[in-house]
Amino acid sequence: MSLKYRILLILALIAVSAWALFPRTVTERVKRNGVYVVDTVQRVPLKRGLDLQGGMHLALEIDDSKQKVADKSDAIDRALKVVRTRIDQFGVSEPLVQKAGADRIIVELPGIDDPQRAMDVVQKSAFLQFEITDKTGALEKALPRLDAAVKSLGSTAALKGVAAPATTQTDSAKNALQGLFSKDTAKKAPGDTTKKDTAAVAGGAFSKLVQQGQMPGEYYVAQNDVPALQRYLSLPSVQAAIPPGKVIRWSSDTTSLGSRTYRAMYLLDARPIITGDYLTDAKPTQSPTEGTVVQFTLNNEGGRRFRNETSKHIGDYMAIVLDSLVMGRPPVIQGAIGTQGQITLGGRDLQAAQDLALVLRAGSLPVPLKIDEVRNIGPSLGADSIHASIQAGAIALCLVVVIMIGYYRFSGLLAVFGLAIYTLCTLAALAGFDATLTLPGLAGFVLSIGMAVDANVLIFERIREELDHGKSTRLSIDEGFRHALPAIIDSNVSAALTAAVLYQFGTGPVRGFAVTLLAGIAASMVTAIFVVRTFYIIWLTRNTDQKALSI
């Protein structure tokens, strides 16, 4: 290659590297909530990891209070895949999700600005079921047994810690509540004749808290009375009095009327007609009539089962249950439903729909998880680390410059110029691969400054040997580069293979270190073999008086 093209290539390398490190606004096509969108963002050349910019550290464990697990290690392995998928779709750059010991999962999220949202996404079970509301009036028939079960426990056992239920209501409040319930927003089945008297179910302590709704299996409870009723429902004797084959679920939403708030309660068939195991996709969207919804898609087998089951329940109300909560008001089944459906979230915002779609796509957790430890890592640690790393890098760079120039003189000065280009190219390569700079990555970069001149040392020593053998300066330089090349390639390939293994099997900061090492090796070889030799060629071209090489 002629000298002219060599110089142009080096200038182009410097220009591209500077362009890669220059902050600018870019348009990117990114996948968000399963959909590719075009987004305009302020590009940051070098992103910082959790240890440099702060973030969130979570330790997750199996929640034994909800489910006993015999093989915790296996359960954690299965939960790890789900959590990792959710975090990957959450949009955090360079997160760390790994198993710690046999029964813990560690999640580290750099730069997270909404810790509560992150915890909700990680912890949500996302167990989806479709259940039919009871249409036999089973709860009304069981109310005497439920009242008796509460009464038999006595006030001290059954009512301990339970707020006193509201036992009186004004007539206007009752009328208003009935008016609210009569405004049924769900679609009515053709020929639906299930309207019932909306008067409160009279009776004992249990039935006084329950107000019958408009659709079969629907009941309303004043929000202040919900803790009391939940307390009753947690009692074994009350559970035993619930109609067999039925289950009570609470709505995820509340309804306000004047100064009072109510929560819907549903009696459902315990056997779901289908679960979310067959779900393949979920997308958030907003409907002008139904508000925020999540549209889901089932696979072929799920669609076939869903179609068969819903064809048997045309005219019935189907509750969509997520993590034991009924999402929205159960719609009536107008006809057989196939692979497509939707979950109505009512007045919730689009972000809630996005999070729900995210966890549905990632699948449900095989075991319930609880957060054992949550720790926010402040940016102060990162600032200290950055300051210390810059200081160490500056000292290392000065030592390398002094040693190279002091020992190899003019040739050492050429190596220092090459080192400057090496630094620029390494940082540009990290920015080009969208790598995240962590503390191990910074340490690796500082170490690589010394390694970067190793190739130059090999070349210079070979040139010295050739000069000692009495060869001309031009021939000594050519022979020096040629003889040093095999050793340079061997050492760099070995280091590159090690870095590749670290990248493949490592996570988080280990991967950051591996990426830094790979970028440094590539830049080192280019600058030592190509750039520094070009400097020599320029010197030889200008050295017409055959002055001896300073090395």
Side-chain angles (χ1 to χ4, degrees), residues 285-298:
T285 186
Q286 284 188 317
S287 167
T289 57
E290 298 173 293
T292 306
V293 299
V294 175
Q295 295 177 333
F296 62 83
T297 304
L298 304 176

Side-chain angles (χ1 to χ4, degrees), residues 229-312:
L229 203 59
Q230 288 176 330
R231 171 76 177 174
Y232 293 154
L233 290 171
S234 66
L235 300 173
S237 58
V238 175
Q239 283 288 323
I242 294 175
K246 305 293 180 184
V247 62
I248 290 178
R249 308 279 192 198
W250 292 94
S251 171
S252 62
D253 296 324
T254 58
T255 301
S256 297
L257 179 67
S259 60
R260 303 203 67 185
T261 304
Y262 298 86
R263 183 176 291 274
M265 185 183 77
Y266 296 93
L267 186 69
L268 308 174
D269 292 344
R271 185 188 74 84
I273 60 174
I274 195 173
T275 67
D277 293 341
Y278 304 97
L279 191 142
T280 59
D281 194 15
K283 298 177 182 176
T285 186
Q286 284 188 317
S287 167
T289 57
E290 298 173 293
T292 306
V293 299
V294 175
Q295 295 177 333
F296 62 83
T297 304
L298 304 176
N299 60 20
N300 291 334
E301 182 183 358
R304 179 176 54 78
R305 293 192 179 196
F306 204 28
R307 189 178 297 105
N308 291 338
E309 290 292 336
T310 50
S311 64
K312 300 175 186 175

Side-chain angles (χ1 to χ4, degrees), residues 14-24 43-46 424 427-429 431-432:
I14 294 173
V16 170
S17 299
W19 177 80
L21 291 171
F22 188 76
R24 60 189 182 279
R43 182 177 178 275
V44 179
L46 288 173
L424 185 66
L427 295 177

Side-chain angles (χ1 to χ4, degrees), residues 357-517:
L358 185 156
V359 296
L360 288 177
R361 284 197 304 272
S364 59
L365 288 172
V367 290
L369 297 177
K370 65 178 180 181
I371 294 178
D372 180 62
E373 178 188 3
V374 55
R375 181 157 40 95
N376 290 323
I377 299 176
S380 57
L381 174 62
D384 294 342
S385 301
I386 291 173
H387 177 72
S389 299
I390 291 175
Q391 196 173 34
I395 294 173
L397 192 61
C398 290
L399 286 175
V400 168
V401 169
V402 170
I403 291 172
M404 291 300 291
I405 294 178
Y407 191 71
Y408 292 109
R409 293 168 287 180
F410 174 73
S411 296
L413 183 62
L414 297 183
V416 170
F417 289 148
L419 187 63
I421 296 178
Y422 156 81
T423 304
L424 185 66
C425 291
T426 302
L427 295 177
L430 294 175
F433 285 111
D434 206 21
T436 299
L437 202 57
T438 61
L439 193 57
L442 272 178
F445 179 69
V446 172
L447 286 175
S448 68
I449 292 175
M451 294 171 59
V453 297
D454 280 354
N456 294 117
V457 172
L458 283 173
I459 293 169
F460 295 164
E461 292 300 325
R462 287 290 185 180
I463 293 175
R464 274 185 170 181
E465 290 177 4
E466 299 300 330
L467 289 173
D468 291 342
H469 290 157
K471 294 181 181 178
S472 65
T473 303
R474 181 180 295 275
L475 184 59
S476 297
I477 291 173
D478 291 340
E479 290 294 315
F481 273 93
R482 188 169 66 84
H483 291 148
L485 189 60
I488 294 172
I489 293 176
D490 287 348
S491 62
N492 282 288
V493 167
S494 301
L497 288 174
T498 303
V501 172
L502 286 175
Y503 181 82
Q504 179 64 31
F505 298 102
T507 58
V510 176
R511 273 196 162 190
F513 178 80
V515 170
T516 305
L517 192 56

Side-chain angles (χ1 to χ4, degrees), residues 518-542:
L518 283 170
I521 290 170
S524 171
M525 292 188 71
V526 170
T527 53
I529 297 173
F530 182 78
V531 176
V532 176
R533 186 166 189 177
T534 302
F535 291 160
Y536 271 124
I537 295 173
I538 295 173
W539 178 78
L540 288 170
T541 303
R542 298 174 61 87

